[in-house]
PDB file of all heavy atoms in Angstrom:
ATOM      1  N   GLY A1359       0.838  -1.179   0.000  1.00  0.00           N
ATOM      2  CA  GLY A1359       0.000   0.000   0.000  1.00  0.00           C
ATOM      3  C   GLY A1359       0.874   1.229   0.000  1.00  0.00           C
ATOM      4  O   GLY A1359       1.933   1.257  -0.616  1.00  0.00           O
ATOM      5  N   PRO A1360       0.454   2.290   0.699  1.00  0.00           N
ATOM      6  CA  PRO A1360       1.292   3.482   0.773  1.00  0.00           C
ATOM      7  C   PRO A1360       2.630   3.168   1.425  1.00  0.00           C
ATOM      8  O   PRO A1360       2.743   2.299   2.278  1.00  0.00           O
ATOM      9  CB  PRO A1360       0.451   4.443   1.645  1.00  0.00           C
ATOM     10  CG  PRO A1360      -0.953   3.941   1.528  1.00  0.00           C
ATOM     11  CD  PRO A1360      -0.838   2.461   1.379  1.00  0.00           C
ATOM     12  N   ARG A1361       3.654   3.882   1.013  1.00  0.00           N
ATOM     13  CA  ARG A1361       4.988   3.685   1.566  1.00  0.00           C
ATOM     14  C   ARG A1361       4.979   3.987   3.056  1.00  0.00           C
ATOM     15  O   ARG A1361       4.446   4.980   3.512  1.00  0.00           O
ATOM     16  CB  ARG A1361       5.983   4.598   0.839  1.00  0.00           C
ATOM     17  CG  ARG A1361       7.392   4.448   1.299  1.00  0.00           C
ATOM     18  CD  ARG A1361       8.290   5.333   0.449  1.00  0.00           C
ATOM     19  NE  ARG A1361       7.729   6.674   0.317  1.00  0.00           N
ATOM     20  CZ  ARG A1361       7.831   7.598   1.267  1.00  0.00           C
ATOM     21  NH1 ARG A1361       8.444   7.327   2.389  1.00  0.00           N
ATOM     22  NH2 ARG A1361       7.302   8.794   1.095  1.00  0.00           N
ATOM     23  N   VAL A1362       5.567   3.085   3.837  1.00  0.00           N
ATOM     24  CA  VAL A1362       5.608   3.236   5.294  1.00  0.00           C
ATOM     25  C   VAL A1362       7.045   3.456   5.726  1.00  0.00           C
ATOM     26  O   VAL A1362       7.941   2.717   5.323  1.00  0.00           O
ATOM     27  CB  VAL A1362       5.027   1.987   5.995  1.00  0.00           C
ATOM     28  CG1 VAL A1362       5.143   2.145   7.497  1.00  0.00           C
ATOM     29  CG2 VAL A1362       3.578   1.782   5.572  1.00  0.00           C
ATOM     30  N   VAL A1363       7.274   4.487   6.529  1.00  0.00           N
ATOM     31  CA  VAL A1363       8.612   4.752   7.060  1.00  0.00           C
ATOM     32  C   VAL A1363       8.625   4.362   8.522  1.00  0.00           C
ATOM     33  O   VAL A1363       7.806   4.840   9.308  1.00  0.00           O
ATOM     34  CB  VAL A1363       8.969   6.247   6.899  1.00  0.00           C
ATOM     35  CG1 VAL A1363      10.320   6.520   7.536  1.00  0.00           C
ATOM     36  CG2 VAL A1363       8.988   6.622   5.429  1.00  0.00           C
ATOM     37  N   THR A1364       9.538   3.450   8.866  1.00  0.00           N
ATOM     38  CA  THR A1364       9.591   2.955  10.232  1.00  0.00           C
ATOM     39  C   THR A1364      10.653   3.704  11.012  1.00  0.00           C
ATOM     40  O   THR A1364      11.655   4.154  10.460  1.00  0.00           O
ATOM     41  CB  THR A1364       9.912   1.455  10.241  1.00  0.00           C
ATOM     42  OG1 THR A1364      11.172   1.248   9.601  1.00  0.00           O
ATOM     43  CG2 THR A1364       8.850   0.661   9.484  1.00  0.00           C
ATOM     44  N   GLY A1365      10.452   3.804  12.297  1.00  0.00           N
ATOM     45  CA  GLY A1365      11.444   4.447  13.149  1.00  0.00           C
ATOM     46  C   GLY A1365      11.421   5.952  13.029  1.00  0.00           C
ATOM     47  O   GLY A1365      10.633   6.545  12.317  1.00  0.00           O
ATOM     48  N   ALA A1366      12.322   6.592  13.761  1.00  0.00           N
ATOM     49  CA  ALA A1366      12.413   8.044  13.736  1.00  0.00           C
ATOM     50  C   ALA A1366      13.064   8.508  12.435  1.00  0.00           C
ATOM     51  O   ALA A1366      13.954   7.854  11.900  1.00  0.00           O
ATOM     52  CB  ALA A1366      13.232   8.530  14.933  1.00  0.00           C
ATOM     53  N   VAL A1367      12.591   9.621  11.926  1.00  0.00           N
ATOM     54  CA  VAL A1367      13.139  10.171  10.682  1.00  0.00           C
ATOM     55  C   VAL A1367      14.408  10.955  11.008  1.00  0.00           C
ATOM     56  O   VAL A1367      14.392  11.848  11.843  1.00  0.00           O
ATOM     57  CB  VAL A1367      12.100  11.082   9.996  1.00  0.00           C
ATOM     58  CG1 VAL A1367      12.697  11.684   8.733  1.00  0.00           C
ATOM     59  CG2 VAL A1367      10.840  10.298   9.680  1.00  0.00           C
ATOM     60  N   ASN A1368      15.491  10.632  10.329  1.00  0.00           N
ATOM     61  CA  ASN A1368      16.760  11.308  10.558  1.00  0.00           C
ATOM     62  C   ASN A1368      17.159  12.020   9.263  1.00  0.00           C
ATOM     63  O   ASN A1368      17.783  11.421   8.380  1.00  0.00           O
ATOM     64  CB  ASN A1368      17.833  10.304  10.978  1.00  0.00           C
ATOM     65  CG  ASN A1368      19.109  10.994  11.421  1.00  0.00           C
ATOM     66  OD1 ASN A1368      19.311  12.186  11.158  1.00  0.00           O
ATOM     67  ND2 ASN A1368      19.972  10.256  12.099  1.00  0.00           N
ATOM     68  N   PHE A1369      16.778  13.293   9.144  1.00  0.00           N
ATOM     69  CA  PHE A1369      17.082  14.027   7.930  1.00  0.00           C
ATOM     70  C   PHE A1369      18.552  14.441   7.862  1.00  0.00           C
ATOM     71  O   PHE A1369      19.007  14.891   6.815  1.00  0.00           O
ATOM     72  CB  PHE A1369      16.172  15.246   7.807  1.00  0.00           C
ATOM     73  CG  PHE A1369      14.819  14.902   7.249  1.00  0.00           C
ATOM     74  CD1 PHE A1369      13.686  15.012   8.033  1.00  0.00           C
ATOM     75  CD2 PHE A1369      14.684  14.450   5.947  1.00  0.00           C
ATOM     76  CE1 PHE A1369      12.447  14.685   7.521  1.00  0.00           C
ATOM     77  CE2 PHE A1369      13.449  14.121   5.423  1.00  0.00           C
ATOM     78  CZ  PHE A1369      12.328  14.230   6.210  1.00  0.00           C
ATOM     79  N   ALA A1370      19.275  14.281   8.943  1.00  0.00           N
ATOM     80  CA  ALA A1370      20.716  14.537   8.878  1.00  0.00           C
ATOM     81  C   ALA A1370      21.368  13.522   7.945  1.00  0.00           C
ATOM     82  O   ALA A1370      22.229  13.872   7.124  1.00  0.00           O
ATOM     83  CB  ALA A1370      21.331  14.464  10.274  1.00  0.00           C
ATOM     84  N   ASP A1371      20.946  12.261   8.048  1.00  0.00           N
ATOM     85  CA  ASP A1371      21.473  11.233   7.151  1.00  0.00           C
ATOM     86  C   ASP A1371      21.010  11.474   5.721  1.00  0.00           C
ATOM     87  O   ASP A1371      21.772  11.288   4.769  1.00  0.00           O
ATOM     88  CB  ASP A1371      21.018   9.846   7.622  1.00  0.00           C
ATOM     89  CG  ASP A1371      21.650   9.443   8.942  1.00  0.00           C
ATOM     90  OD1 ASP A1371      22.701  10.023   9.290  1.00  0.00           O
ATOM     91  OD2 ASP A1371      21.089   8.572   9.628  1.00  0.00           O
ATOM     92  N   VAL A1372      19.736  11.880   5.564  1.00  0.00           N
ATOM     93  CA  VAL A1372      19.193  12.139   4.232  1.00  0.00           C
ATOM     94  C   VAL A1372      19.966  13.263   3.555  1.00  0.00           C
ATOM     95  O   VAL A1372      20.389  13.150   2.400  1.00  0.00           O
ATOM     96  CB  VAL A1372      17.696  12.495   4.320  1.00  0.00           C
ATOM     97  CG1 VAL A1372      17.176  12.997   2.973  1.00  0.00           C
ATOM     98  CG2 VAL A1372      16.881  11.287   4.783  1.00  0.00           C
ATOM     99  N   ALA A1373      20.162  14.358   4.268  1.00  0.00           N
ATOM    100  CA  ALA A1373      20.871  15.506   3.701  1.00  0.00           C
ATOM    101  C   ALA A1373      22.306  15.153   3.355  1.00  0.00           C
ATOM    102  O   ALA A1373      22.842  15.582   2.332  1.00  0.00           O
ATOM    103  CB  ALA A1373      20.832  16.679   4.678  1.00  0.00           C
ATOM    104  N   GLU A1374      22.934  14.337   4.198  1.00  0.00           N
ATOM    105  CA  GLU A1374      24.323  13.960   3.959  1.00  0.00           C
ATOM    106  C   GLU A1374      24.458  13.151   2.668  1.00  0.00           C
ATOM    107  O   GLU A1374      25.427  13.291   1.928  1.00  0.00           O
ATOM    108  CB  GLU A1374      24.851  13.153   5.147  1.00  0.00           C
ATOM    109  CG  GLU A1374      26.332  12.839   5.058  1.00  0.00           C
ATOM    110  CD  GLU A1374      26.845  12.128   6.308  1.00  0.00           C
ATOM    111  OE1 GLU A1374      26.026  11.844   7.198  1.00  0.00           O
ATOM    112  OE2 GLU A1374      28.056  11.867   6.386  1.00  0.00           O
ATOM    113  N   ARG A1375      23.448  12.309   2.383  1.00  0.00           N
ATOM    114  CA  ARG A1375      23.515  11.474   1.192  1.00  0.00           C
ATOM    115  C   ARG A1375      23.219  12.259  -0.088  1.00  0.00           C
ATOM    116  O   ARG A1375      23.808  11.997  -1.134  1.00  0.00           O
ATOM    117  CB  ARG A1375      22.512  10.311   1.311  1.00  0.00           C
ATOM    118  CG  ARG A1375      22.871   9.266   2.344  1.00  0.00           C
ATOM    119  CD  ARG A1375      22.092   7.980   2.109  1.00  0.00           C
ATOM    120  NE  ARG A1375      20.655   8.190   2.094  1.00  0.00           N
ATOM    121  CZ  ARG A1375      19.861   8.102   3.158  1.00  0.00           C
ATOM    122  NH1 ARG A1375      20.413   7.833   4.332  1.00  0.00           N
ATOM    123  NH2 ARG A1375      18.569   8.291   3.062  1.00  0.00           N
ATOM    124  N   ILE A1376      22.289  13.223  -0.024  1.00  0.00           N
ATOM    125  CA  ILE A1376      21.806  13.866  -1.245  1.00  0.00           C
ATOM    126  C   ILE A1376      22.460  15.219  -1.507  1.00  0.00           C
ATOM    127  O   ILE A1376      22.476  15.702  -2.639  1.00  0.00           O
ATOM    128  CB  ILE A1376      20.265  14.017  -1.175  1.00  0.00           C
ATOM    129  CG1 ILE A1376      19.633  12.631  -1.160  1.00  0.00           C
ATOM    130  CG2 ILE A1376      19.720  14.834  -2.335  1.00  0.00           C
ATOM    131  CD1 ILE A1376      18.131  12.655  -1.203  1.00  0.00           C
ATOM    132  N   ASN A1377      23.010  15.842  -0.510  1.00  0.00           N
ATOM    133  CA  ASN A1377      23.518  17.205  -0.641  1.00  0.00           C
ATOM    134  C   ASN A1377      24.489  17.378  -1.805  1.00  0.00           C
ATOM    135  O   ASN A1377      24.508  18.413  -2.480  1.00  0.00           O
ATOM    136  CB  ASN A1377      24.190  17.639   0.663  1.00  0.00           C
ATOM    137  CG  ASN A1377      24.171  19.138   0.835  1.00  0.00           C
ATOM    138  OD1 ASN A1377      23.308  19.833   0.314  1.00  0.00           O
ATOM    139  ND2 ASN A1377      25.154  19.647   1.560  1.00  0.00           N
ATOM    140  N   ALA A1378      25.278  16.356  -2.054  1.00  0.00           N
ATOM    141  CA  ALA A1378      26.282  16.471  -3.118  1.00  0.00           C
ATOM    142  C   ALA A1378      25.641  16.588  -4.496  1.00  0.00           C
ATOM    143  O   ALA A1378      26.260  17.104  -5.435  1.00  0.00           O
ATOM    144  CB  ALA A1378      27.216  15.263  -3.081  1.00  0.00           C
ATOM    145  N   ALA A1379      24.408  16.104  -4.639  1.00  0.00           N
ATOM    146  CA  ALA A1379      23.734  16.141  -5.934  1.00  0.00           C
ATOM    147  C   ALA A1379      22.925  17.422  -6.137  1.00  0.00           C
ATOM    148  O   ALA A1379      22.386  17.646  -7.223  1.00  0.00           O
ATOM    149  CB  ALA A1379      22.811  14.928  -6.075  1.00  0.00           C
ATOM    150  N   VAL A1380      22.826  18.257  -5.107  1.00  0.00           N
ATOM    151  CA  VAL A1380      22.095  19.527  -5.210  1.00  0.00           C
ATOM    152  C   VAL A1380      23.053  20.606  -5.687  1.00  0.00           C
ATOM    153  O   VAL A1380      24.183  20.709  -5.192  1.00  0.00           O
ATOM    154  CB  VAL A1380      21.472  19.913  -3.853  1.00  0.00           C
ATOM    155  CG1 VAL A1380      20.717  21.229  -3.971  1.00  0.00           C
ATOM    156  CG2 VAL A1380      20.534  18.806  -3.361  1.00  0.00           C
ATOM    157  N   VAL A1381      22.609  21.408  -6.649  1.00  0.00           N
ATOM    158  CA  VAL A1381      23.499  22.410  -7.247  1.00  0.00           C
ATOM    159  C   VAL A1381      22.891  23.800  -7.143  1.00  0.00           C
ATOM    160  O   VAL A1381      21.678  23.964  -6.978  1.00  0.00           O
ATOM    161  CB  VAL A1381      23.779  22.085  -8.728  1.00  0.00           C
ATOM    162  CG1 VAL A1381      24.447  20.729  -8.862  1.00  0.00           C
ATOM    163  CG2 VAL A1381      22.496  22.135  -9.558  1.00  0.00           C
ATOM    164  N   ASN A1382      23.761  24.794  -7.237  1.00  0.00           N
ATOM    165  CA  ASN A1382      23.343  26.188  -7.333  1.00  0.00           C
ATOM    166  C   ASN A1382      23.362  26.585  -8.805  1.00  0.00           C
ATOM    167  O   ASN A1382      24.269  26.219  -9.550  1.00  0.00           O
ATOM    168  CB  ASN A1382      24.283  27.090  -6.539  1.00  0.00           C
ATOM    169  CG  ASN A1382      23.887  28.539  -6.645  1.00  0.00           C
ATOM    170  OD1 ASN A1382      22.796  28.920  -6.262  1.00  0.00           O
ATOM    171  ND2 ASN A1382      24.769  29.364  -7.184  1.00  0.00           N
ATOM    172  N   ILE A1383      22.331  27.320  -9.241  1.00  0.00           N
ATOM    173  CA  ILE A1383      22.223  27.720 -10.642  1.00  0.00           C
ATOM    174  C   ILE A1383      22.207  29.239 -10.726  1.00  0.00           C
ATOM    175  O   ILE A1383      21.368  29.897 -10.107  1.00  0.00           O
ATOM    176  CB  ILE A1383      20.949  27.143 -11.286  1.00  0.00           C
ATOM    177  CG1 ILE A1383      21.005  25.610 -11.291  1.00  0.00           C
ATOM    178  CG2 ILE A1383      20.783  27.671 -12.713  1.00  0.00           C
ATOM    179  CD1 ILE A1383      19.749  24.959 -11.825  1.00  0.00           C
ATOM    180  N   ASP A1384      23.158  29.788 -11.502  1.00  0.00           N
ATOM    181  CA  ASP A1384      23.187  31.219 -11.784  1.00  0.00           C
ATOM    182  C   ASP A1384      22.829  31.415 -13.248  1.00  0.00           C
ATOM    183  O   ASP A1384      23.450  30.811 -14.136  1.00  0.00           O
ATOM    184  CB  ASP A1384      24.573  31.801 -11.512  1.00  0.00           C
ATOM    185  CG  ASP A1384      24.885  31.844 -10.021  1.00  0.00           C
ATOM    186  OD1 ASP A1384      24.080  32.417  -9.278  1.00  0.00           O
ATOM    187  OD2 ASP A1384      25.924  31.293  -9.617  1.00  0.00           O
ATOM    188  N   ALA A1385      21.829  32.247 -13.499  1.00  0.00           N
ATOM    189  CA  ALA A1385      21.360  32.496 -14.865  1.00  0.00           C
ATOM    190  C   ALA A1385      21.500  33.978 -15.173  1.00  0.00           C
ATOM    191  O   ALA A1385      20.982  34.826 -14.438  1.00  0.00           O
ATOM    192  CB  ALA A1385      19.908  32.061 -15.016  1.00  0.00           C
ATOM    193  N   THR A1386      22.198  34.292 -16.264  1.00  0.00           N
ATOM    194  CA  THR A1386      22.441  35.680 -16.643  1.00  0.00           C
ATOM    195  C   THR A1386      21.971  35.906 -18.075  1.00  0.00           C
ATOM    196  O   THR A1386      22.189  35.067 -18.949  1.00  0.00           O
ATOM    197  CB  THR A1386      23.936  36.020 -16.555  1.00  0.00           C
ATOM    198  OG1 THR A1386      24.411  35.687 -15.249  1.00  0.00           O
ATOM    199  CG2 THR A1386      24.169  37.499 -16.817  1.00  0.00           C
ATOM    200  N   SER A1387      21.312  37.043 -18.304  1.00  0.00           N
ATOM    201  CA  SER A1387      20.881  37.389 -19.656  1.00  0.00           C
ATOM    202  C   SER A1387      21.401  38.776 -20.009  1.00  0.00           C
ATOM    203  O   SER A1387      21.611  39.625 -19.147  1.00  0.00           O
ATOM    204  CB  SER A1387      19.353  37.367 -19.757  1.00  0.00           C
ATOM    205  OG  SER A1387      18.791  38.385 -18.960  1.00  0.00           O
ATOM    206  N   LYS A1388      21.604  39.010 -21.309  1.00  0.00           N
ATOM    207  CA  LYS A1388      22.126  40.285 -21.780  1.00  0.00           C
ATOM    208  C   LYS A1388      21.031  41.336 -21.873  1.00  0.00           C
ATOM    209  O   LYS A1388      21.280  42.525 -21.655  1.00  0.00           O
ATOM    210  CB  LYS A1388      22.750  40.111 -23.161  1.00  0.00           C
ATOM    211  CG  LYS A1388      23.888  39.119 -23.215  1.00  0.00           C
ATOM    212  CD  LYS A1388      24.361  38.934 -24.645  1.00  0.00           C
ATOM    213  CE  LYS A1388      25.463  37.893 -24.737  1.00  0.00           C
ATOM    214  NZ  LYS A1388      25.881  37.668 -26.145  1.00  0.00           N
ATOM    215  N   ASN A1389      19.833  40.907 -22.232  1.00  0.00           N
ATOM    216  CA  ASN A1389      18.763  41.851 -22.549  1.00  0.00           C
ATOM    217  C   ASN A1389      17.844  42.088 -21.370  1.00  0.00           C
ATOM    218  O   ASN A1389      17.703  41.260 -20.476  1.00  0.00           O
ATOM    219  CB  ASN A1389      17.936  41.331 -23.730  1.00  0.00           C
ATOM    220  CG  ASN A1389      18.789  41.084 -24.948  1.00  0.00           C
ATOM    221  OD1 ASN A1389      19.716  41.843 -25.229  1.00  0.00           O
ATOM    222  ND2 ASN A1389      18.482  40.015 -25.679  1.00  0.00           N
ATOM    223  N   THR A1390      17.181  43.257 -21.402  1.00  0.00           N
ATOM    224  CA  THR A1390      16.169  43.573 -20.404  1.00  0.00           C
ATOM    225  C   THR A1390      14.963  42.690 -20.643  1.00  0.00           C
ATOM    226  O   THR A1390      14.423  42.637 -21.732  1.00  0.00           O
ATOM    227  CB  THR A1390      15.736  45.044 -20.499  1.00  0.00           C
ATOM    228  OG1 THR A1390      16.881  45.847 -20.286  1.00  0.00           O
ATOM    229  CG2 THR A1390      14.667  45.367 -19.489  1.00  0.00           C
ATOM    230  N   ARG A1391      14.559  41.987 -19.627  1.00  0.00           N
ATOM    231  CA  ARG A1391      13.394  41.126 -19.771  1.00  0.00           C
ATOM    232  C   ARG A1391      12.767  40.902 -18.412  1.00  0.00           C
ATOM    233  O   ARG A1391      13.455  40.740 -17.416  1.00  0.00           O
ATOM    234  CB  ARG A1391      13.792  39.790 -20.390  1.00  0.00           C
ATOM    235  CG  ARG A1391      12.598  38.876 -20.644  1.00  0.00           C
ATOM    236  CD  ARG A1391      13.037  37.648 -21.427  1.00  0.00           C
ATOM    237  NE  ARG A1391      11.909  36.756 -21.641  1.00  0.00           N
ATOM    238  CZ  ARG A1391      12.002  35.611 -22.299  1.00  0.00           C
ATOM    239  NH1 ARG A1391      13.146  35.251 -22.834  1.00  0.00           N
ATOM    240  NH2 ARG A1391      10.956  34.844 -22.448  1.00  0.00           N
ATOM    241  N   GLU A1392      11.479  40.875 -18.399  1.00  0.00           N
ATOM    242  CA  GLU A1392      10.775  40.661 -17.141  1.00  0.00           C
ATOM    243  C   GLU A1392      10.411  39.199 -17.023  1.00  0.00           C
ATOM    244  O   GLU A1392       9.928  38.585 -17.964  1.00  0.00           O
ATOM    245  CB  GLU A1392       9.491  41.486 -17.130  1.00  0.00           C
ATOM    246  CG  GLU A1392       8.621  41.241 -15.905  1.00  0.00           C
ATOM    247  CD  GLU A1392       7.268  41.886 -16.055  1.00  0.00           C
ATOM    248  OE1 GLU A1392       7.143  42.801 -16.870  1.00  0.00           O
ATOM    249  OE2 GLU A1392       6.334  41.459 -15.358  1.00  0.00           O
ATOM    250  N   ARG A1393      10.691  38.609 -15.882  1.00  0.00           N
ATOM    251  CA  ARG A1393      10.332  37.207 -15.693  1.00  0.00           C
ATOM    252  C   ARG A1393       8.806  37.068 -15.669  1.00  0.00           C
ATOM    253  O   ARG A1393       8.102  37.907 -15.142  1.00  0.00           O
ATOM    254  CB  ARG A1393      10.898  36.672 -14.376  1.00  0.00           C
ATOM    255  CG  ARG A1393      12.411  36.502 -14.420  1.00  0.00           C
ATOM    256  CD  ARG A1393      12.861  35.782 -13.161  1.00  0.00           C
ATOM    257  NE  ARG A1393      14.299  35.696 -13.079  1.00  0.00           N
ATOM    258  CZ  ARG A1393      15.009  34.720 -13.618  1.00  0.00           C
ATOM    259  NH1 ARG A1393      14.398  33.793 -14.302  1.00  0.00           N
ATOM    260  NH2 ARG A1393      16.317  34.703 -13.493  1.00  0.00           N
ATOM    261  N   ARG A1394       8.319  35.932 -16.222  1.00  0.00           N
ATOM    262  CA  ARG A1394       6.882  35.725 -16.304  1.00  0.00           C
ATOM    263  C   ARG A1394       6.281  35.299 -14.976  1.00  0.00           C
ATOM    264  O   ARG A1394       5.172  35.622 -14.657  1.00  0.00           O
ATOM    265  CB  ARG A1394       6.567  34.666 -17.373  1.00  0.00           C
ATOM    266  CG  ARG A1394       6.828  35.175 -18.779  1.00  0.00           C
ATOM    267  CD  ARG A1394       6.557  34.111 -19.819  1.00  0.00           C
ATOM    268  NE  ARG A1394       7.551  33.040 -19.739  1.00  0.00           N
ATOM    269  CZ  ARG A1394       7.321  31.872 -19.183  1.00  0.00           C
ATOM    270  NH1 ARG A1394       6.153  31.636 -18.641  1.00  0.00           N
ATOM    271  NH2 ARG A1394       8.242  30.937 -19.145  1.00  0.00           N
ATOM    272  N   ARG A1395       6.992  34.508 -14.227  1.00  0.00           N
ATOM    273  CA  ARG A1395       6.514  34.103 -12.917  1.00  0.00           C
ATOM    274  C   ARG A1395       7.678  33.524 -12.150  1.00  0.00           C
ATOM    275  O   ARG A1395       8.733  33.237 -12.701  1.00  0.00           O
ATOM    276  CB  ARG A1395       5.377  33.079 -13.021  1.00  0.00           C
ATOM    277  CG  ARG A1395       5.837  31.707 -13.497  1.00  0.00           C
ATOM    278  CD  ARG A1395       4.699  30.723 -13.395  1.00  0.00           C
ATOM    279  NE  ARG A1395       5.110  29.432 -13.888  1.00  0.00           N
ATOM    280  CZ  ARG A1395       4.327  28.371 -13.878  1.00  0.00           C
ATOM    281  NH1 ARG A1395       3.104  28.458 -13.414  1.00  0.00           N
ATOM    282  NH2 ARG A1395       4.757  27.208 -14.330  1.00  0.00           N
ATOM    283  N   GLY A1396       7.497  33.318 -10.875  1.00  0.00           N
ATOM    284  CA  GLY A1396       8.567  32.701 -10.090  1.00  0.00           C
ATOM    285  C   GLY A1396       8.907  33.536  -8.883  1.00  0.00           C
ATOM    286  O   GLY A1396       8.463  34.661  -8.737  1.00  0.00           O
ATOM    287  N   ASP A1397       9.747  32.982  -8.025  1.00  0.00           N
ATOM    288  CA  ASP A1397      10.041  33.661  -6.777  1.00  0.00           C
ATOM    289  C   ASP A1397      11.322  34.472  -6.834  1.00  0.00           C
ATOM    290  O   ASP A1397      11.746  34.991  -5.821  1.00  0.00           O
ATOM    291  CB  ASP A1397      10.105  32.634  -5.623  1.00  0.00           C
ATOM    292  CG  ASP A1397      11.159  31.584  -5.888  1.00  0.00           C
ATOM    293  OD1 ASP A1397      11.909  31.702  -6.866  1.00  0.00           O
ATOM    294  OD2 ASP A1397      11.207  30.640  -5.090  1.00  0.00           O
ATOM    295  N   GLU A1398      11.940  34.622  -8.037  1.00  0.00           N
ATOM    296  CA  GLU A1398      13.126  35.452  -8.135  1.00  0.00           C
ATOM    297  C   GLU A1398      12.835  36.814  -8.759  1.00  0.00           C
ATOM    298  O   GLU A1398      13.721  37.632  -8.902  1.00  0.00           O
ATOM    299  CB  GLU A1398      14.179  34.750  -9.005  1.00  0.00           C
ATOM    300  CG  GLU A1398      15.051  33.811  -8.208  1.00  0.00           C
ATOM    301  CD  GLU A1398      14.272  32.570  -7.816  1.00  0.00           C
ATOM    302  OE1 GLU A1398      13.783  31.851  -8.664  1.00  0.00           O
ATOM    303  OE2 GLU A1398      14.147  32.353  -6.602  1.00  0.00           O
ATOM    304  N   ALA A1399      11.611  37.054  -9.204  1.00  0.00           N
ATOM    305  CA  ALA A1399      11.312  38.283  -9.935  1.00  0.00           C
ATOM    306  C   ALA A1399      10.434  39.217  -9.115  1.00  0.00           C
ATOM    307  O   ALA A1399       9.760  38.810  -8.195  1.00  0.00           O
ATOM    308  CB  ALA A1399      10.619  37.956 -11.247  1.00  0.00           C
ATOM    309  N   ASP A1400      10.491  40.482  -9.494  1.00  0.00           N
ATOM    310  CA  ASP A1400       9.594  41.475  -8.931  1.00  0.00           C
ATOM    311  C   ASP A1400       8.535  41.738  -9.999  1.00  0.00           C
ATOM    312  O   ASP A1400       8.780  42.473 -10.943  1.00  0.00           O
ATOM    313  CB  ASP A1400      10.365  42.757  -8.614  1.00  0.00           C
ATOM    314  CG  ASP A1400       9.469  43.820  -8.003  1.00  0.00           C
ATOM    315  OD1 ASP A1400       8.310  43.493  -7.701  1.00  0.00           O
ATOM    316  OD2 ASP A1400       9.935  44.961  -7.845  1.00  0.00           O
ATOM    317  N   PRO A1401       7.352  41.097  -9.890  1.00  0.00           N
ATOM    318  CA  PRO A1401       6.366  41.181 -10.981  1.00  0.00           C
ATOM    319  C   PRO A1401       6.012  42.608 -11.327  1.00  0.00           C
ATOM    320  O   PRO A1401       5.787  43.453 -10.460  1.00  0.00           O
ATOM    321  CB  PRO A1401       5.172  40.427 -10.407  1.00  0.00           C
ATOM    322  CG  PRO A1401       5.759  39.519  -9.388  1.00  0.00           C
ATOM    323  CD  PRO A1401       6.911  40.264  -8.809  1.00  0.00           C
ATOM    324  N   GLY A1402       5.956  42.849 -12.620  1.00  0.00           N
ATOM    325  CA  GLY A1402       5.525  44.151 -13.103  1.00  0.00           C
ATOM    326  C   GLY A1402       6.639  45.168 -13.196  1.00  0.00           C
ATOM    327  O   GLY A1402       6.445  46.279 -13.665  1.00  0.00           O
ATOM    328  N   ARG A1403       7.854  44.825 -12.787  1.00  0.00           N
ATOM    329  CA  ARG A1403       8.950  45.780 -12.815  1.00  0.00           C
ATOM    330  C   ARG A1403       9.798  45.562 -14.058  1.00  0.00           C
ATOM    331  O   ARG A1403      10.065  44.436 -14.464  1.00  0.00           O
ATOM    332  CB  ARG A1403       9.815  45.593 -11.562  1.00  0.00           C
ATOM    333  CG  ARG A1403      11.000  46.551 -11.522  1.00  0.00           C
ATOM    334  CD  ARG A1403      11.812  46.345 -10.260  1.00  0.00           C
ATOM    335  NE  ARG A1403      13.009  47.153 -10.251  1.00  0.00           N
ATOM    336  CZ  ARG A1403      13.917  47.095  -9.286  1.00  0.00           C
ATOM    337  NH1 ARG A1403      13.746  46.287  -8.266  1.00  0.00           N
ATOM    338  NH2 ARG A1403      14.978  47.863  -9.332  1.00  0.00           N
ATOM    339  N   ASP A1404      10.237  46.646 -14.682  1.00  0.00           N
ATOM    340  CA  ASP A1404      11.070  46.573 -15.873  1.00  0.00           C
ATOM    341  C   ASP A1404      12.524  46.674 -15.449  1.00  0.00           C
ATOM    342  O   ASP A1404      12.926  47.639 -14.803  1.00  0.00           O
ATOM    343  CB  ASP A1404      10.704  47.716 -16.832  1.00  0.00           C
ATOM    344  CG  ASP A1404      11.396  47.558 -18.174  1.00  0.00           C
ATOM    345  OD1 ASP A1404      11.758  46.425 -18.506  1.00  0.00           O
ATOM    346  OD2 ASP A1404      11.547  48.583 -18.874  1.00  0.00           O
TER     347      ASP A1404
END
């Protein structure tokens, strides 16, 4: 049935295993452009 997790959850172990696969992304553009949506933009600002 649904996945069952036994015992106490230890996210320290989870983070230690996966952290190396998480990356930071820097995106740069030459032209003025307003982002359509997302949490990095100030909507409506040029």
Side-chain angles (χ1 to χ4, degrees):
R1361 182 176 47 79
V1362 177
V1363 176
T1364 59
V1367 178
N1368 188 345
F1369 278 113
D1371 292 339
V1372 170
E1374 186 176 3
R1375 290 197 304 269
I1376 295 185
N1377 206 27
V1380 180
V1381 300
N1382 179 60
I1383 297 176
D1384 290 306
T1386 306
S1387 66
K1388 301 175 183 177
N1389 303 322
T1390 300
R1391 183 172 179 180
E1392 175 190 339
R1393 289 188 185 273
R1394 290 178 291 102
R1395 71 173 178 178
D1397 59 7
E1398 273 73 59
D1400 181 8
R1403 179 179 175 184
D1404 189 23

